[in-house]
Amino acid sequence: MYLILFGAPGVGKGTQAKILSSKLNIPHISTGDILRAAVKAQTILGIKAQKILSAGELVSDEIMIGIIKEVLTDPKCSKGFLLDGFPRTLAQATAFDELLKELNLMDKILLISLDTNEEELIVRLTNRRACSNCQSIFILKDIKDLDKCPNCGAVNSFYHRSDDQEEVIRRRFGIFQSATLPILEHYEKMGKVISVDGFQPVERVTEDILNCLAKISDNKNSISA
Ligand code: AMP
């Protein structure tokens, strides 16, 4: 399966992507994770991206398209992928469509939209913490022991992402509305969008997505039978 997970910052794309990637056995490609790893390793890309990420702004289309071309043409993505955080602008979507055509995947791509409500998302984002070791994300009230990551056991590894501060979040929302939301219409016109309520509990969101994907696959099978 070739999937784009789409939604506002903090709606739970990363959480769903991890679950779906393991259930569907396809690699999870998070452009945010790729950039954060580059910042941590202080590569040339990381040094360029550091300030942009902290300010909640977007890295240039040219850089992002270059990264995604390299990742998606890797053999590990030949049987499917789950994109989280890309495309984020219409220019990225257009370049991505060209790449999909080259790879003969245009008729296979689907976009899963996690629908949201801005104010609830702000509360969720300001209360979330990430583990610097395994990159898992938790809501503060769900962490029993703040000294130890419940996923990987790392000690004192929680941090508040600089792009999860309220002022930065509001800027990320503005950018989402103006630069990223038009992508939804772009793929809706092609009949490639599945919409799911992103404010349900994590398991329900996953269930809804898997049910929609199963229905689409049943329809395709019955058409080709
Ligand atoms: P995320 O983890 O997806 O919220 O991404 C964190 C940050 O990485 C974003 O706020 C952007 O600064 C940058 N970023 C991630 N993906 C993209 C993209 N496709 N285009 C531009 N910037 C991106």
Side-chain angles (χ1 to χ4, degrees):
M1 269 186 195
Y2 301 85
L3 304 171
I4 303 166
L5 207 49
F6 180 89
V11 67
K13 294 189 296 292
T15 306
Q16 289 301 327
K18 284 194 183 76
I19 301 171
L20 292 168
S21 146
S22 123
K23 285 195 189 281
L24 300 170
N25 201 18
I26 47 176
H28 167 203
I29 314 295
S30 157
T31 44
D33 283 353
I34 293 172
L35 293 167
R36 279 184 288 276
V39 170
K40 197 170 175 189
Q42 288 288 288
T43 61
I44 297 172
L45 166 67
I47 294 166
K48 271 195 204 163
Q50 192 157 12
K51 271 200 190 133
I52 303 174
L53 257 74
S54 294
E57 281 160 15
L58 292 182
V59 172
S60 79
D61 289 333
E62 196 191 345
I63 291 181
M64 295 315 300
I65 293 162
I67 292 177
I68 225 68
K69 275 194 178 154
E70 202 179 308
V71 176
L72 297 193
T73 48
D74 188 290
K76 79 170 183 180
C77 288
S78 64
K79 297 214 166 61
F81 51 73
L82 177 57
L83 280 176
D84 158 15
F86 185 96
R88 227 156 166 134
T89 62
L90 268 183
Q92 291 180 15
T94 310
F96 179 57
D97 292 351
E98 287 307 311
L99 180 64
L100 290 173
K101 281 180 202 151
E102 275 169 36
L103 300 171
N104 275 329
L105 295 175
M106 201 57 206
D107 57 337
K108 299 202 174 120
I109 195 81
L110 284 173
L111 181 148
I112 303 165
S113 170
L114 302 181
D115 297 342
T116 51
N117 158 320
E118 177 168 344
E119 288 310 313
E120 276 193 65
L121 275 180
I122 289 194
V123 172
R124 197 193 274 189
L125 280 180
T126 44
N127 282 295
R128 78 177 188 178
R129 295 295 179 271
C131 169
S132 58
N133 187 45
C134 69
Q135 311 307 325
S136 293
I137 290 188
F138 300 91
I139 303 295
L140 266 182
K141 68 172 177 45
D142 297 334
I143 310 175
K144 287 197 183 76
D145 180 358
L146 265 176
D147 294 335
K148 197 170 168 194
C149 171
N151 185 48
C152 69
V155 176
N156 289 332
S157 62
F158 285 119
Y159 70 104
H160 193 193
R161 273 171 41 177
S162 51
D163 54 353
D164 279 350
Q165 317 284 339
E166 181 160 350
E167 189 198 320
V168 180
I169 295 169
R170 297 226 177 249
R171 191 173 322 135
R172 290 171 74 197
F173 266 111
I175 294 173
F176 174 75
Q177 303 270 5
S178 57
T180 309
L181 211 48
I183 291 173
L184 198 56
E185 200 185 332
H186 173 80
Y187 287 106
E188 256 163 3
K189 282 187 191 148
M190 299 186 203
K192 295 189 176 298
V193 173
I194 297 172
S195 290
V196 167
D197 176 1
F199 266 117
Q200 307 173 88
V202 172
E203 309 76 48
R204 283 299 309 274
V205 177
T206 312
E207 208 181 303
D208 280 4
I209 295 173
L210 292 174
N211 285 340
C212 288
L213 293 175
K215 267 191 212 148
I216 289 172
S217 149
D218 285 352
N219 282 347
K220 274 199 181 145
N221 290 340
S222 63
I223 289 166
S224 59

